[in-house]
Amino acid sequence: MGKDLSRLPAIEKILQALGGHDRLPRPVVLATVREEIKDLRNNEEDIPPFDEVVQQVNRKLNALSRTRLAAVINGTGVLIHTNLGRSPLPERIAEKLTAIATSYNNLELDLNTGERGKRAGFLEQSLAHLCAAEAATSVNNCASALVIILRHLVREGRHRVIISRSQLVEIGGGFRIPDILLASGATLHEIGTTNKTTLSDYREAISEETAMILKVHQSNFFMGGFVENAQTTELSALAREKGIPFCEDLGSGAVVNTEEFGPVEHEPTPAEIMAQGVDLVCFSGDKLLGGPQAGIIAGRADLIAGIKKEPFYRALRCDKLILSMLEEVTTAYLEGNTDVPLLNMLSTPVETLRDRAENIVSSINDLPAKISVGNSEARIGGGTMPRSAIPSVTLDIEPEKMSLTAIAKRLRFGEVPVMGYTADKLYRIDLRTVFSRQDKDLSEAIRKALSPLLEKQD
Ligand SMILES: *Cc1c(COP(=O)(O)O)cnc(C)c1O
């Protein structure tokens, strides 16, 4: 191995040549440089010229800075995109958020008495109203909600959780309902078959060891044909007769009639589920509710009180920023205000999208690409409403001088990153998930990405 280690550049020299990295703190830059030198020392290849080393470090730093959280333009047409942070929050919440974040607040202070107060008392009351339940609380996410419900209801000797085989689902990202049950100390008591689970299957399964009956909403898939499942009202009656808690994991958690907002099916609301006699219901804050990441649990007051007393509850509780955002979204719904980005996107008329698309296209018609207005179908996403297909409008880009992969990369690497998709030999940007206030940034981004003069990006 005749490698000439004397050609290894000094760290200081590389740092100087880099001239600082505007988007990364110095210790991070330093660690990246050290790593590069270590790689140069240890790998088989000869040490490249100094300039190449600097370029390589720069590439690594740029790649690293792209892993920082940043606002992205969502041109995928998927409204609840888990990779893109799920539901965007209403802009009007920002002011409240800043105030709570940067000042002291009454998080656990009762301003009426000056004594210690109930954390999230108002929010919990509002959530209970919204779900037409006796009581409600919130935790980190819906997965946590399920875990804390199980931890409260599952105990030694009463550890079996009855669940239909049609509901042992994977939600996404490796999150599987049976795993959650097992990790929470429950014993799975699977009943019925994939396509059919009857009331008598449930009745026969109940024993001294039954902790609860769990129903999981089939959020991300659907079944047709010879399918039958015991009705929720029948199950509630059975559970009450046997004195066993009955809980439903709703997942998506729309609190409005979704079909009134767009061409989608009706999604069961927590209030409807409560009216069917369920003891507890849980759902996500950042899916169809259009709020922050949270898990909402609503239902019987004694069960909610018990859940809140679980030692584990503290590990899952929401912080003041989430609580304040959830409070804003919840109270708005209670006032009949459905001005939530998610619902607005769902209800935007196709004609409005087409007008915007035509405006954008006419502002970038001088670029080396065929750019036209296309028709598409947007989706709800986020593991909800798998059958949704919402008529939408796209910007269809066919670059003349670069590949579709290249334009996709250039748009992702831009100052305001843009995520579209490739289909039918076109790069497409769905406008249903792009805010109209982003139209200008979007056309700028497309202009830059298609501009041949742009220096090499990587
Ligand atoms: C999405 C979903 C969950 C998980 O919700 P998170 O808020 O992401 O933890 C749980 N159950 C169902 C049925 C879901 O659809």
Side-chain angles (χ1 to χ4, degrees), residues 40-57:
L40 290 176
R41 184 192 301 277
N42 295 339
N43 68 19
E44 304 278 303
E45 290 115 59
D46 276 339
I47 290 160
F50 180 73
D51 284 354
E52 260 175 55
V53 175
V54 174
Q55 259 179 33
Q56 172 65 7
V57 173

Side-chain angles (χ1 to χ4, degrees), residues 86 141-143 171 175 216-217 219 249-252 284 287 294 383:
R86 289 201 182 153
N141 56 11
C142 189
I171 305 297
F175 173 76
V216 177
H217 182 54
S219 346
D249 172 8
L250 254 189
S252 0
S284 288
K287 289 186 182 169

Side-chain angles (χ1 to χ4, degrees), residues 74-77 376-378 392-394 428-434:
N74 176 9
T76 64
S376 62
E377 279 178 350
S392 194
V393 170
T394 46
R428 313 188 81 186
I429 299 169
D430 194 312
L431 286 190
R432 188 167 290 281
T433 44
V434 177

Side-chain angles (χ1 to χ4, degrees), residues 272-291:
E272 280 164 19
I273 300 298
M274 290 312 308
Q276 290 167 15
V278 170
D279 294 302
L280 286 175
V281 63
C282 62
F283 58 98
S284 288
D286 55 355
K287 289 186 182 169
L288 288 168
L289 187 73

Side-chain angles (χ1 to χ4, degrees), residues 337-353:
N337 176 358
T338 55
D339 182 13
V340 169
L342 193 78
L343 296 175
N344 292 340
M345 280 179 193
L346 183 57
S347 59
T348 306
V350 180
E351 301 74 51
T352 309
L353 299 180

Side-chain angles (χ1 to χ4, degrees), residues 71-382:
V72 170
I73 293 179
N74 176 9
T76 64
V78 179
L79 274 70
I80 307 175
H81 201 305
T82 301
N83 297 3
L84 301 180
R86 289 201 182 153
S87 301
L89 293 163
E91 263 185 283
R92 64 185 139 80
I93 288 185
E95 211 174 305
K96 176 74 182 259
L97 189 58
T98 309
I100 299 296
T102 59
S103 306
Y104 292 104
N105 54 66
N106 59 342
L107 183 64
E108 292 187 15
L109 168 75
D110 185 342
L111 288 172
N112 291 305
T113 60
E115 307 286 325
R116 185 176 180 152
K118 263 173 60 182
R119 189 184 170 95
F122 183 78
L123 168 65
E124 294 190 343
Q125 214 177 8
S126 308
L127 283 172
H129 284 306
L130 195 62
C131 301
E134 284 173 14
T137 189
S138 61
V139 285
N140 179 59
N141 56 11
C142 189
S144 311
L146 201 50
V147 169
I148 195 73
I149 289 173
L150 289 161
R151 287 194 77 99
H152 182 56
L153 294 175
V154 170
R155 53 206 59 186
E156 238 187 287
R158 271 179 100 88
H159 52 91
R160 293 173 86 90
V161 174
I162 297 177
I163 182 166
S164 159
R165 290 196 167 88
S166 64
Q167 294 164 15
L168 293 170
V169 299
E170 169 162 328
I171 305 297
F175 173 76
R176 292 180 165 179
I177 293 292
D179 295 342
I180 288 278
L181 296 194
L182 297 178
S184 308
T187 307
L188 262 182
H189 191 156
E190 303 173 29
I191 58 164
T193 60
T194 305
N195 56 329
K196 210 168 164 178
T197 307
T198 62
L199 185 63
S200 54
D201 289 326
Y202 281 94
R203 185 179 286 282
E204 282 157 28
I206 294 173
S207 75
E208 301 268 278
E209 295 186 328
T210 304
M212 65 188 269
I213 296 174
L214 178 64
K215 187 172 173 198
V216 177
H217 182 54
Q218 295 171 338
S219 346
N220 57 3
F221 72 108
F222 50 89
M223 282 163 58
F226 187 54
V227 174
E228 188 187 319
N229 263 304
Q231 296 294 311
T232 302
T233 42
E234 299 172 331
L235 280 178
S236 309
L238 174 66
R240 201 159 314 121
E241 176 197 323
K242 301 282 184 182
I244 287 167
F246 174 30
C247 308
E248 176 154 355
D249 172 8
L250 254 189
S252 0
V255 296
V256 295
N257 288 325
T258 40
E259 72 277 17
E260 287 169 17
F261 288 82
V264 291
E265 61 222 274
H266 178 78
E267 181 72 14
T269 67
E272 280 164 19
I273 300 298
M274 290 312 308
Q276 290 167 15
V278 170
D279 294 302
L280 286 175
V281 63
C282 62
F283 58 98
S284 288
D286 55 355
K287 289 186 182 169
L288 288 168
L289 187 73
Q293 181 192 302
I296 293 141
I297 312 171
R300 253 168 57 191
D302 60 325
L303 293 176
I304 297 290
I307 283 169
K308 288 178 68 182
K309 285 202 195 89
E310 287 291 327
F312 208 63
Y313 176 80
R314 192 179 172 110
L316 302 176
R317 71 184 192 180
C318 301
D319 90 308
K320 61 189 175 188
L321 300 182
I322 298 292
L323 291 174
S324 75
M325 287 184 282
L326 200 52
E327 186 178 293
E328 289 303 300
V329 172
T330 305
T331 46
Y333 276 120
L334 283 178
E335 285 163 353
N337 176 358
T338 55
D339 182 13
V340 169
L342 193 78
L343 296 175
N344 292 340
M345 280 179 193
L346 183 57
S347 59
T348 306
V350 180
E351 301 74 51
T352 309
L353 299 180
R354 197 176 309 282
D355 287 348
R356 283 172 49 200
E358 276 159 11
N359 275 335
I360 295 175
V361 168
S362 67
S363 75
I364 49 175
N365 59 7
D366 55 333
L367 298 175
K370 259 193 250 158
I371 307 178
S372 56
V373 178
N375 297 313
S376 62
E377 279 178 350
R379 313 238 151 228
I380 297 285

